[in-house]
Amino acid sequence: MGSTPRIAIVGAGMGGLTAAATLCRAGLDVHVYEQASQFGRVGAGIQMMPNSMKVLRAIGLEERLIESSFAPYSHLNRDWDTGDTKRELPMPADLFGAPYLCMHRGDLHAALLSTVPADTIHLGRKLVGLEPKSELVELAFADGTRAVADAVVGADGVHSLVRDLIVGPDAPLHKGRIAYRGVFDSARMNGFDIGPSRTKWWGVDRHIVIYYVKPDRSEVYFVTSVPEAAEWLTPESWSATGDVDELRGAYEGFHEDVRRVLAATPTCHKWAILEREPLPHWSDGRVVLLGDAFNHMTPYMAQGAATSIEDAAVLARCVEATGGDDMAGAFKRYESH
């Protein structure tokens, strides 16, 4: 093998940062290009199941996340109006060989960022073009700068430009459902405790999931799925503002515990639940996709970020197996896995 292969990762979300961490550990020269100008504790809650926790353990983050996250007793499913238990699955840490944790996305992102050398992260770099150059790929950014790499990983989400460039543009599918979500200080509930579990309240045509995201139960999170006309469409975003009165009205008649949580939330975000058709392939020579860029899914099984994290681990394993000498071959192997 000659010089250390240089890998450009487009996007510094959960999948992109995990790919940076795993590829760095495999000995590659990794650089991450992110269009945002800065990182902040934005977003919402997120569930890390044992499958993705095993990857996070391997890159040294398990203890940090245990200390900053809420470990629910179970997956609890309750009826929307009576509150009766429909099904409960206890989730002890030894059930699948790793813990199940609920956390703030910002805390998970900060933990992943800590695993990557600071000088490998390049902010304010919005990708506008990719061009093969002999044995390299050249990246062009909106600020006029350029970079070259031996290979490119597109981890730039559901609206991926890398995907558009290698497989052609396609439009997200809005199936007429939206999600409200919010995180707030649990002190606003005036002593009300939502309980030790991650609870999903099942209605006739809608649901709401509620859980704590801090070990001291100081922050609570909720996310919903509500029918709404497909004419309402916004790009997938953590920052589109919702109307809390509209949210509360959507859950009028639900159990008192649900209404107490929604009464306490000061603000909420509103997010279109988008789908895309499956892709026939997600690599093209020295360019490959990861996470939501090719495998976007609806949020109902709490596996979107988890599969992005798993993608990163498998990708690094496939690259490492080739010694970094055959990126196209490694990407095809990753794609087949």
Side-chain angles (χ1 to χ4, degrees):
M1 182 171 141
S3 60
T4 303
R6 181 184 176 107
I7 308 293
I9 298 174
V10 180
M14 306 306 180
L17 288 180
T18 308
T22 54
L23 289 167
C24 280
R25 283 174 171 253
L28 283 83
D29 179 16
V30 177
H31 289 265
V32 182
Y33 300 93
E34 165 60 40
Q35 66 178 349
S37 59
Q38 62 182 4
F39 296 128
R41 193 174 184 268
V42 297
I46 189 169
Q47 302 174 63
M48 282 291 104
M49 302 292 187
N51 55 317
S52 51
M53 281 303 303
K54 291 175 182 177
V55 179
L56 298 171
R57 171 189 292 165
I59 60 176
L61 292 180
E62 183 175 23
E63 291 306 315
R64 172 172 173 163
L65 293 174
I66 288 173
E67 290 174 1
S68 63
S69 305
F70 180 70
Y73 167 72
S74 68
H75 281 270
L76 176 61
N77 296 273
R78 299 178 67 179
D79 192 69
W80 69 282
D81 56 351
T82 67
D84 293 344
T85 297
K86 298 170 74 69
R87 185 177 180 87
E88 183 171 23
L89 175 63
M91 291 289 289
D94 60 353
L95 181 61
F96 296 110
Y100 162 48
L101 300 175
C102 294
M103 61 194 72
H104 193 290
R105 279 180 175 265
D107 294 340
L108 174 58
H109 190 269
L112 287 167
L113 192 61
S114 74
T115 67
V116 182
D119 61 358
T120 67
I121 306 291
H122 307 277
L123 298 177
R125 300 291 179 86
K126 179 179 174 59
L127 184 74
V128 294
L130 289 177
E131 185 178 352
K133 293 281 188 180
S134 183
E135 297 299 307
L136 300 171
V137 182
E138 185 173 68
L139 301 89
F141 302 99
D143 64 358
T145 61
R146 291 178 174 268
V148 293
D150 294 281
V152 174
V153 177
D156 48 343
V158 64
H159 300 287
S160 170
L161 178 63
V162 179
R163 180 190 59 238
D164 289 351
L165 292 172
I166 70 171
V167 300
D170 64 343
L173 307 175
H174 187 350
K175 296 297 184 67
R177 300 195 71 83
I178 59 99
Y180 292 96
R181 57 178 78 210
V183 179
F184 62 92
D185 189 329
S186 58
R188 296 181 58 90
M189 297 190 297
N190 297 318
F192 173 63
D193 187 349
I194 63 172
S197 299
R198 181 293 265 145
T199 304
K200 187 169 188 175
W201 298 83
W202 290 88
V204 176
D205 65 347
R206 64 200 61 201
H207 70 255
I208 182 170
V209 179
I210 304 172
Y211 53 84
Y212 291 114
V213 295
K214 299 297 287 185
D216 60 1
R217 306 190 181 195
S218 60
E219 284 185 311
V220 66
Y221 169 68
F222 65 86
V223 61
T224 78
S225 176
V226 182
E228 183 157 331
E231 286 75 22
W232 188 89
L233 179 62
T234 183
E236 186 176 55
S237 167
W238 302 122
S239 58
T241 302
D243 184 318
V244 291
D245 291 329
E246 185 181 82
L247 162 64
R248 291 164 186 153
Y251 287 86
E252 185 177 355
F254 265 63
H255 191 275
E256 180 185 8
D257 288 3
V258 173
R259 289 185 282 113
R260 283 175 122 175
V261 170
L262 297 183
T265 184
T267 60
C268 66
H269 299 298
K270 187 178 182 181
W271 168 58
I273 298 177
L274 305 179
E275 299 180 46
R276 288 186 183 269
E277 294 293 348
L279 295 178
H281 64 94
W282 46 92
S283 69
D284 184 4
R286 293 170 173 268
V287 183
V288 71
L289 302 176
L290 180 148
D292 279 355
F294 81 92
N295 189 32
H296 179 67
M297 64 183 70
T298 53
Y300 304 127
M301 296 299 290
Q303 285 293 311
T307 53
S308 297
I309 288 169
E310 288 184 317
D311 287 349
V314 174
L315 176 63
R317 189 177 299 168
C318 292
V319 171
E320 193 171 17
T322 69
D325 289 329
D326 180 11
M327 287 298 175
F331 291 169
K332 283 298 181 186
R333 183 174 183 175
Y334 156 76
E335 188 176 47
S336 67
H337 279 302

